[in-house]
Amino acid sequence: MRLTGPLRAVAALLLVGLTWLLVSALFGGDGGSLVRSFFMGEWGRGHHAEIRPRRYKCGLSAPCPPKHLAFRLVSGAANVIGPKICLEDKMLMSSVKNNVGRGLNIALVNGVTGELLETRAFDMWAGEVTDLLQFLRPLYEGTLVFVASFDDAATKMNDEVRRLLEDLGSTAVKELAFRDSWVFVGAKGIENKSPFEQRMKNSKSSNKYEGWPESLEMDGCIPLRPPLDA
């Protein structure tokens, strides 16, 4: 039985298509990868699938050891984008949570259990410094203190505030000035200076934004401390 005209045309197109694919496979064209994918069973599965890096708590590039808390701090950007404090993949403070503000943004965490105790924002430009002092003075031994600046964190600081923050392990707070960017993790009763601290000085010659330095980002793993009666 002879093929009709339309069937002849379809057969010719199929022959041309298969010939192109086979020639491309032999000479390394794009069709070669299609042929290989077809015959290797990869067709339709995305043979150029993107390999994404694994994400750990708070966006860390590696997991924390056992009995450690994963954290990430981001200071505010100028007076526009608020700071962020993340702990164990939970956002403690952010603009989305509507619990950040100009000045110092502080989260207190139980250093034994990792439980969030309190979050507060203190306006260091127009607020009352006594509010910050009443917040810092009664901290319990072992309390972890997470701090991220936003806009200006230093104007209302007095000597007592700086001393209390130094006692928590800060080395940069004694020089913290108008509109400096600052992130810090300290602890009540710490014996040495904290390894978790960054400061970016407000300088016209190096500022990223007009009137403000760039935002700071810091992450890491903080060991939980044993119970005080252990």
mmCIF file with all atom_site columns, all heavy atoms in Angstrom, residues 203-215:
data_model
loop_
_atom_site.group_PDB
_atom_site.id
_atom_site.type_symbol
_atom_site.label_atom_id
_atom_site.label_alt_id
_atom_site.label_comp_id
_atom_site.label_asym_id
_atom_site.label_entity_id
_atom_site.label_seq_id
_atom_site.pdbx_PDB_ins_code
_atom_site.Cartn_x
_atom_site.Cartn_y
_atom_site.Cartn_z
_atom_site.occupancy
_atom_site.B_iso_or_equiv
_atom_site.pdbx_formal_charge
_atom_site.auth_seq_id
_atom_site.auth_comp_id
_atom_site.auth_asym_id
_atom_site.auth_atom_id
_atom_site.pdbx_PDB_model_num
ATOM 1   N N   . SER A 1 203 ? 32.207 57.947 58.408 1.00 0.00 ? 203 SER A N   1
ATOM 2   C CA  . SER A 1 203 ? 33.249 58.806 57.838 1.00 0.00 ? 203 SER A CA  1
ATOM 3   C C   . SER A 1 203 ? 32.817 59.276 56.454 1.00 0.00 ? 203 SER A C   1
ATOM 4   O O   . SER A 1 203 ? 32.447 58.462 55.601 1.00 0.00 ? 203 SER A O   1
ATOM 5   C CB  . SER A 1 203 ? 34.572 58.042 57.742 1.00 0.00 ? 203 SER A CB  1
ATOM 6   O OG  . SER A 1 203 ? 35.535 58.791 57.033 1.00 0.00 ? 203 SER A OG  1
ATOM 7   N N   . LYS A 1 204 ? 32.880 60.571 56.211 1.00 0.00 ? 204 LYS A N   1
ATOM 8   C CA  . LYS A 1 204 ? 32.472 61.112 54.917 1.00 0.00 ? 204 LYS A CA  1
ATOM 9   C C   . LYS A 1 204 ? 33.273 60.517 53.767 1.00 0.00 ? 204 LYS A C   1
ATOM 10  O O   . LYS A 1 204 ? 32.773 60.353 52.665 1.00 0.00 ? 204 LYS A O   1
ATOM 11  C CB  . LYS A 1 204 ? 32.624 62.633 54.914 1.00 0.00 ? 204 LYS A CB  1
ATOM 12  C CG  . LYS A 1 204 ? 31.639 63.362 55.806 1.00 0.00 ? 204 LYS A CG  1
ATOM 13  C CD  . LYS A 1 204 ? 31.818 64.866 55.687 1.00 0.00 ? 204 LYS A CD  1
ATOM 14  C CE  . LYS A 1 204 ? 30.806 65.617 56.555 1.00 0.00 ? 204 LYS A CE  1
ATOM 15  N NZ  . LYS A 1 204 ? 30.977 67.090 56.447 1.00 0.00 ? 204 LYS A NZ  1
ATOM 16  N N   . SER A 1 205 ? 34.533 60.193 54.028 1.00 0.00 ? 205 SER A N   1
ATOM 17  C CA  . SER A 1 205 ? 35.398 59.692 52.960 1.00 0.00 ? 205 SER A CA  1
ATOM 18  C C   . SER A 1 205 ? 35.100 58.245 52.578 1.00 0.00 ? 205 SER A C   1
ATOM 19  O O   . SER A 1 205 ? 35.452 57.804 51.487 1.00 0.00 ? 205 SER A O   1
ATOM 20  C CB  . SER A 1 205 ? 36.870 59.811 53.381 1.00 0.00 ? 205 SER A CB  1
ATOM 21  O OG  . SER A 1 205 ? 37.121 59.031 54.546 1.00 0.00 ? 205 SER A OG  1
ATOM 22  N N   . SER A 1 206 ? 34.467 57.488 53.464 1.00 0.00 ? 206 SER A N   1
ATOM 23  C CA  . SER A 1 206 ? 34.255 56.061 53.189 1.00 0.00 ? 206 SER A CA  1
ATOM 24  C C   . SER A 1 206 ? 32.799 55.609 53.314 1.00 0.00 ? 206 SER A C   1
ATOM 25  O O   . SER A 1 206 ? 32.505 54.441 53.068 1.00 0.00 ? 206 SER A O   1
ATOM 26  C CB  . SER A 1 206 ? 35.116 55.217 54.137 1.00 0.00 ? 206 SER A CB  1
ATOM 27  O OG  . SER A 1 206 ? 34.771 55.468 55.490 1.00 0.00 ? 206 SER A OG  1
ATOM 28  N N   . ASN A 1 207 ? 31.895 56.497 53.689 1.00 0.00 ? 207 ASN A N   1
ATOM 29  C CA  . ASN A 1 207 ? 30.495 56.106 53.861 1.00 0.00 ? 207 ASN A CA  1
ATOM 30  C C   . ASN A 1 207 ? 29.906 55.550 52.574 1.00 0.00 ? 207 ASN A C   1
ATOM 31  O O   . ASN A 1 207 ? 30.162 56.064 51.479 1.00 0.00 ? 207 ASN A O   1
ATOM 32  C CB  . ASN A 1 207 ? 29.650 57.300 54.310 1.00 0.00 ? 207 ASN A CB  1
ATOM 33  C CG  . ASN A 1 207 ? 29.809 57.580 55.799 1.00 0.00 ? 207 ASN A CG  1
ATOM 34  O OD1 . ASN A 1 207 ? 30.386 56.780 56.527 1.00 0.00 ? 207 ASN A OD1 1
ATOM 35  N ND2 . ASN A 1 207 ? 29.290 58.715 56.233 1.00 0.00 ? 207 ASN A ND2 1
ATOM 36  N N   . LYS A 1 208 ? 29.118 54.501 52.724 1.00 0.00 ? 208 LYS A N   1
ATOM 37  C CA  . LYS A 1 208 ? 28.434 53.920 51.565 1.00 0.00 ? 208 LYS A CA  1
ATOM 38  C C   . LYS A 1 208 ? 27.196 54.739 51.213 1.00 0.00 ? 208 LYS A C   1
ATOM 39  O O   . LYS A 1 208 ? 26.842 54.896 50.043 1.00 0.00 ? 208 LYS A O   1
ATOM 40  C CB  . LYS A 1 208 ? 28.049 52.474 51.857 1.00 0.00 ? 208 LYS A CB  1
ATOM 41  C CG  . LYS A 1 208 ? 27.365 51.776 50.695 1.00 0.00 ? 208 LYS A CG  1
ATOM 42  C CD  . LYS A 1 208 ? 27.126 50.308 50.989 1.00 0.00 ? 208 LYS A CD  1
ATOM 43  C CE  . LYS A 1 208 ? 26.464 49.618 49.805 1.00 0.00 ? 208 LYS A CE  1
ATOM 44  N NZ  . LYS A 1 208 ? 26.263 48.163 50.058 1.00 0.00 ? 208 LYS A NZ  1
ATOM 45  N N   . TYR A 1 209 ? 26.522 55.230 52.231 1.00 0.00 ? 209 TYR A N   1
ATOM 46  C CA  . TYR A 1 209 ? 25.331 56.050 52.044 1.00 0.00 ? 209 TYR A CA  1
ATOM 47  C C   . TYR A 1 209 ? 25.671 57.492 52.415 1.00 0.00 ? 209 TYR A C   1
ATOM 48  O O   . TYR A 1 209 ? 26.650 57.755 53.105 1.00 0.00 ? 209 TYR A O   1
ATOM 49  C CB  . TYR A 1 209 ? 24.181 55.541 52.912 1.00 0.00 ? 209 TYR A CB  1
ATOM 50  C CG  . TYR A 1 209 ? 23.947 54.057 52.805 1.00 0.00 ? 209 TYR A CG  1
ATOM 51  C CD1 . TYR A 1 209 ? 24.354 53.190 53.821 1.00 0.00 ? 209 TYR A CD1 1
ATOM 52  C CD2 . TYR A 1 209 ? 23.343 53.502 51.683 1.00 0.00 ? 209 TYR A CD2 1
ATOM 53  C CE1 . TYR A 1 209 ? 24.148 51.824 53.724 1.00 0.00 ? 209 TYR A CE1 1
ATOM 54  C CE2 . TYR A 1 209 ? 23.146 52.141 51.580 1.00 0.00 ? 209 TYR A CE2 1
ATOM 55  C CZ  . TYR A 1 209 ? 23.552 51.306 52.601 1.00 0.00 ? 209 TYR A CZ  1
ATOM 56  O OH  . TYR A 1 209 ? 23.357 49.956 52.493 1.00 0.00 ? 209 TYR A OH  1
ATOM 57  N N   . GLU A 1 210 ? 24.871 58.423 51.961 1.00 0.00 ? 210 GLU A N   1
ATOM 58  C CA  . GLU A 1 210 ? 25.128 59.824 52.265 1.00 0.00 ? 210 GLU A CA  1
ATOM 59  C C   . GLU A 1 210 ? 24.830 60.093 53.739 1.00 0.00 ? 210 GLU A C   1
ATOM 60  O O   . GLU A 1 210 ? 23.679 60.191 54.161 1.00 0.00 ? 210 GLU A O   1
ATOM 61  C CB  . GLU A 1 210 ? 24.257 60.719 51.386 1.00 0.00 ? 210 GLU A CB  1
ATOM 62  C CG  . GLU A 1 210 ? 24.568 62.198 51.549 1.00 0.00 ? 210 GLU A CG  1
ATOM 63  C CD  . GLU A 1 210 ? 23.755 63.072 50.604 1.00 0.00 ? 210 GLU A CD  1
ATOM 64  O OE1 . GLU A 1 210 ? 23.070 62.511 49.721 1.00 0.00 ? 210 GLU A OE1 1
ATOM 65  O OE2 . GLU A 1 210 ? 23.802 64.301 50.764 1.00 0.00 ? 210 GLU A OE2 1
ATOM 66  N N   . GLY A 1 211 ? 25.899 60.184 54.528 1.00 0.00 ? 211 GLY A N   1
ATOM 67  C CA  . GLY A 1 211 ? 25.737 60.443 55.953 1.00 0.00 ? 211 GLY A CA  1
ATOM 68  C C   . GLY A 1 211 ? 25.789 59.219 56.832 1.00 0.00 ? 211 GLY A C   1
ATOM 69  O O   . GLY A 1 211 ? 25.740 59.330 58.062 1.00 0.00 ? 211 GLY A O   1
ATOM 70  N N   . TRP A 1 212 ? 25.884 58.013 56.232 1.00 0.00 ? 212 TRP A N   1
ATOM 71  C CA  . TRP A 1 212 ? 25.920 56.785 57.020 1.00 0.00 ? 212 TRP A CA  1
ATOM 72  C C   . TRP A 1 212 ? 26.922 55.794 56.424 1.00 0.00 ? 212 TRP A C   1
ATOM 73  O O   . TRP A 1 212 ? 27.058 55.699 55.197 1.00 0.00 ? 212 TRP A O   1
ATOM 74  C CB  . TRP A 1 212 ? 24.558 56.088 57.051 1.00 0.00 ? 212 TRP A CB  1
ATOM 75  C CG  . TRP A 1 212 ? 23.512 56.762 57.851 1.00 0.00 ? 212 TRP A CG  1
ATOM 76  C CD1 . TRP A 1 212 ? 23.216 56.580 59.164 1.00 0.00 ? 212 TRP A CD1 1
ATOM 77  C CD2 . TRP A 1 212 ? 22.577 57.743 57.365 1.00 0.00 ? 212 TRP A CD2 1
ATOM 78  N NE1 . TRP A 1 212 ? 22.162 57.369 59.526 1.00 0.00 ? 212 TRP A NE1 1
ATOM 79  C CE2 . TRP A 1 212 ? 21.749 58.103 58.449 1.00 0.00 ? 212 TRP A CE2 1
ATOM 80  C CE3 . TRP A 1 212 ? 22.369 58.351 56.122 1.00 0.00 ? 212 TRP A CE3 1
ATOM 81  C CZ2 . TRP A 1 212 ? 20.734 59.033 58.327 1.00 0.00 ? 212 TRP A CZ2 1
ATOM 82  C CZ3 . TRP A 1 212 ? 21.356 59.280 55.998 1.00 0.00 ? 212 TRP A CZ3 1
ATOM 83  C CH2 . TRP A 1 212 ? 20.551 59.614 57.094 1.00 0.00 ? 212 TRP A CH2 1
ATOM 84  N N   . PRO A 1 213 ? 27.576 54.998 57.263 1.00 0.00 ? 213 PRO A N   1
ATOM 85  C CA  . PRO A 1 213 ? 28.426 53.915 56.740 1.00 0.00 ? 213 PRO A CA  1
ATOM 86  C C   . PRO A 1 213 ? 27.568 52.741 56.289 1.00 0.00 ? 213 PRO A C   1
ATOM 87  O O   . PRO A 1 213 ? 26.339 52.748 56.472 1.00 0.00 ? 213 PRO A O   1
ATOM 88  C CB  . PRO A 1 213 ? 29.286 53.537 57.950 1.00 0.00 ? 213 PRO A CB  1
ATOM 89  C CG  . PRO A 1 213 ? 28.425 53.862 59.132 1.00 0.00 ? 213 PRO A CG  1
ATOM 90  C CD  . PRO A 1 213 ? 27.615 55.075 58.724 1.00 0.00 ? 213 PRO A CD  1
ATOM 91  N N   . GLU A 1 214 ? 28.211 51.744 55.703 1.00 0.00 ? 214 GLU A N   1
ATOM 92  C CA  . GLU A 1 214 ? 27.467 50.583 55.227 1.00 0.00 ? 214 GLU A CA  1
ATOM 93  C C   . GLU A 1 214 ? 26.932 49.743 56.386 1.00 0.00 ? 214 GLU A C   1
ATOM 94  O O   . GLU A 1 214 ? 27.420 49.824 57.515 1.00 0.00 ? 214 GLU A O   1
ATOM 95  C CB  . GLU A 1 214 ? 28.344 49.704 54.338 1.00 0.00 ? 214 GLU A CB  1
ATOM 96  C CG  . GLU A 1 214 ? 29.520 49.052 55.049 1.00 0.00 ? 214 GLU A CG  1
ATOM 97  C CD  . GLU A 1 214 ? 30.341 48.191 54.110 1.00 0.00 ? 214 GLU A CD  1
ATOM 98  O OE1 . GLU A 1 214 ? 29.738 47.317 53.455 1.00 0.00 ? 214 GLU A OE1 1
ATOM 99  O OE2 . GLU A 1 214 ? 31.558 48.390 54.020 1.00 0.00 ? 214 GLU A OE2 1
ATOM 100 N N   . SER A 1 215 ? 25.939 48.945 56.084 1.00 0.00 ? 215 SER A N   1
ATOM 101 C CA  . SER A 1 215 ? 25.373 48.023 57.064 1.00 0.00 ? 215 SER A CA  1
ATOM 102 C C   . SER A 1 215 ? 26.359 46.904 57.354 1.00 0.00 ? 215 SER A C   1
ATOM 103 O O   . SER A 1 215 ? 27.119 46.490 56.472 1.00 0.00 ? 215 SER A O   1
ATOM 104 C CB  . SER A 1 215 ? 24.058 47.448 56.517 1.00 0.00 ? 215 SER A CB  1
ATOM 105 O OG  . SER A 1 215 ? 23.557 46.451 57.377 1.00 0.00 ? 215 SER A OG  1
#
